[in-house]
């Protein structure tokens, strides 16, 4: 029996991905951008990093190009950014094991920890606040801790997306795993846009390399 159209499409995507990874050296810089979160739980605060990746894919015109890659247990989308190339990644492992997918993809694409961007939620910033952090400790974030452990480095640039911390410490788990309230959802579209702008601006600047000294 001939393969179904869906299977053929999957085989084509897999071969195209292999060519992208293993083809002759492409011009420009390559970066991996990983949105941390829990697969199957879109709309939750803990998965806001994946929401940013969705907006990033839409901005770059590759929102329909996500393809599952079993080698790193993640959905990948590939996009050009000027002379640079972006590998967008949404892990298919739970948050506590996100690092395995990120590290396997980094190895697959021949990238160092410094060339891997992590996008994740941040309890200690109110919703609507963003911060770009160049390396550092996990500060209690299990997904970041997993990435540091699996990459054996804490040098990854990180985009922190504030989700706010509940007043009652016992409510933290329910807060991060819960969905955004209707009021919070109204703040999300401009927040995702600003997060995308911040990421792209920083990656463009990094792709140009350090400025020459005096």
């Amino acid at each position: 029996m001939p393969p179904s159209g869906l299977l053929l499409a999957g085989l084509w995507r897999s071969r195209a991905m292999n060519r992208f990874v293993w083809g002759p050296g492409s011009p420009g810089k390559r970066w991996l951008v990983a949105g941390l979160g829990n697969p199957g739980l879109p709309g939750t605060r803990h998965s806001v990093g994946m929401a940013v990746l969705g907006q990033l894919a839409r901005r770059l015109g590759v929102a329909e190009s996500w393809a599952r890659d079993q080698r790193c247990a993640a959905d990948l989308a590939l996009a050009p950014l000027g002379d640079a190339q972006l590998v967008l990644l949404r892990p298919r492992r739970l948050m506590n094991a996100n690092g395995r997918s990120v590290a396997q993809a980094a190895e697959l694409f021949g990238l160092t920890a410094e060339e891997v961007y992590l996008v994740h939620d941040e309890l200690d910033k109110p919703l609507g606040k963003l911060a770009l952090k160049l390396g550092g400790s996990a500060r209690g974030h299990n997904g970041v801790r997993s990435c540091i452990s699996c990459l054996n480095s804490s040098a990854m640039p990180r985009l922190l997306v504030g989700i706010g911390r509940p007043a009652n410490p016992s409510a933290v788990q329910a807060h991060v795993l819960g969905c955004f309230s209707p009021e919070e959802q109204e703040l999300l579209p401009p927040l995702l846009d600003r997060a995308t702008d911040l990421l792209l601006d920083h990656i463009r600047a990094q792709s140009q390399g350090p400025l020459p000294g005096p």
Side-chain angles (χ1 to χ4, degrees):
M1 179 181 295
S4 68
L6 182 61
L7 180 56
L8 283 173
L11 288 172
W12 183 89
R13 283 196 300 269
S14 176
R15 288 167 183 161
M17 191 79 74
N18 281 332
R19 286 197 300 272
F20 185 92
V21 176
W22 302 117
S26 303
K29 186 73 176 169
R30 180 177 288 162
W31 306 93
L32 173 65
V33 186
L36 305 188
N38 286 306
L41 293 175
T44 61
R45 297 180 182 91
H46 216 21
S47 294
V48 72
M50 290 186 170
V52 173
L53 264 286
Q55 178 62 18
L56 183 59
R58 287 188 289 273
R59 180 79 66 84
L60 297 173
V62 295
E64 305 301 321
S65 300
W66 291 102
R68 182 184 296 194
D69 194 308
Q70 294 182 347
R71 294 168 295 183
C72 51
D75 292 331
L76 299 179
L78 313 174
L81 182 66
D83 290 335
Q85 299 171 328
L86 303 189
V87 181
L88 311 185
L89 180 144
R90 297 187 302 202
R92 282 185 168 267
R93 294 183 170 103
L94 293 176
M95 178 69 90
N96 291 9
N98 272 190
R100 291 172 57 195
S101 292
V102 174
Q104 286 167 342
E107 181 178 6
L108 186 64
F109 286 88
L111 300 175
T112 66
E114 291 83 356
E115 296 165 326
V116 175
Y117 281 78
L118 305 180
V119 186
H120 62 88
D121 58 301
E122 172 55 51
L123 276 167
D124 291 326
K125 293 190 181 301
L127 182 66
K129 294 295 183 181
L130 300 168
L132 194 61
K133 190 173 190 290
L134 302 181
S137 68
R139 293 172 55 87
H141 193 288
N142 289 331
V144 176
R145 181 182 292 115
S146 174
C147 290
I148 290 174
S149 174
C150 293
L151 286 163
N152 196 29
S153 174
S154 61
M156 297 78 71
R158 293 158 44 190
L159 178 62
L160 286 61
V161 183
I163 61 169
R165 181 183 289 274
N168 187 343
S170 66
V172 166
Q173 182 173 359
H175 177 74
V176 299
L177 295 179
C179 291
F180 289 104
S181 69
E183 294 79 11
E184 290 173 329
Q185 288 176 15
E186 292 182 4
L187 301 175
L188 282 180
L191 174 62
L192 298 181
D193 271 334
R194 289 192 292 110
T196 299
D197 289 338
L198 186 56
L199 267 176
L200 292 177
D201 287 347
H202 195 268
I203 292 172
R204 287 189 184 103
Q206 293 294 98
S207 298
Q208 293 171 1
L211 294 175

